[in-house]
Amino acid sequence: MPQDASPPFPNPSFQAAGSAGLPPAAGGGADDGMIAGIRSVLAECGGLAVDAGRLAVDDDLYAAGLTSHGCVGLMLGLEEQFDVEFPEKLLNRRTFESIAAIRDAVRGLIDGGEA
């Protein structure tokens, strides 16, 4: 995906502090595939007001349009995509606040059964 100088959101308030509106840096290794999978599920199930491909990993997904209804769809899509099940203790706003938070939760579920 080519990068340009334009911010991913029409309103700068959608950007998380420090993200500068840029997609994640290259070189993430195994994380790249997981992040791509998360972005795919976000685009399909998240109901975001912006293109999931333009979000930086630390951008606030709620500021980008994620609602409680979208969060449920996102969780179900992630469970299917990664063959995991989110335990009740992870069903909170913090788990789904950013692509990075989702990546960490999913990685924890895959690696140890729970994050």
Side-chain angles (χ1 to χ4, degrees):
M1 171 175 64
Q3 293 184 10
D4 61 14
S6 63
F9 310 113
N11 181 343
S13 68
F14 283 153
Q15 296 179 19
S19 72
L22 299 175
D31 276 354
D32 289 345
M34 183 175 287
I35 288 173
I38 293 167
R39 287 183 195 282
S40 174
V41 175
L42 267 172
E44 186 176 330
C45 306
L48 299 180
V50 298
D51 178 5
R54 304 269 305 165
L55 293 167
V57 295
D58 292 322
D59 282 342
D60 182 338
L61 297 179
Y62 297 101
L66 185 64
T67 64
S68 58
H69 184 265
C71 197
V72 170
L74 174 60
M75 179 201 66
L76 294 172
L78 291 166
E79 287 182 337
E80 184 174 324
Q81 174 79 19
F82 296 103
D83 194 27
V84 296
E85 186 173 327
F86 284 88
E88 189 173 334
K89 75 176 192 171
L90 289 181
L91 301 182
N92 59 62
R93 186 176 179 94
R94 176 177 270 171
T95 299
F96 301 98
E97 70 188 350
S98 68
I99 293 170
I102 294 168
R103 176 202 58 212
D104 293 345
V106 170
R107 185 187 301 137
L109 292 170
I110 291 170
D111 291 345
E114 287 195 28

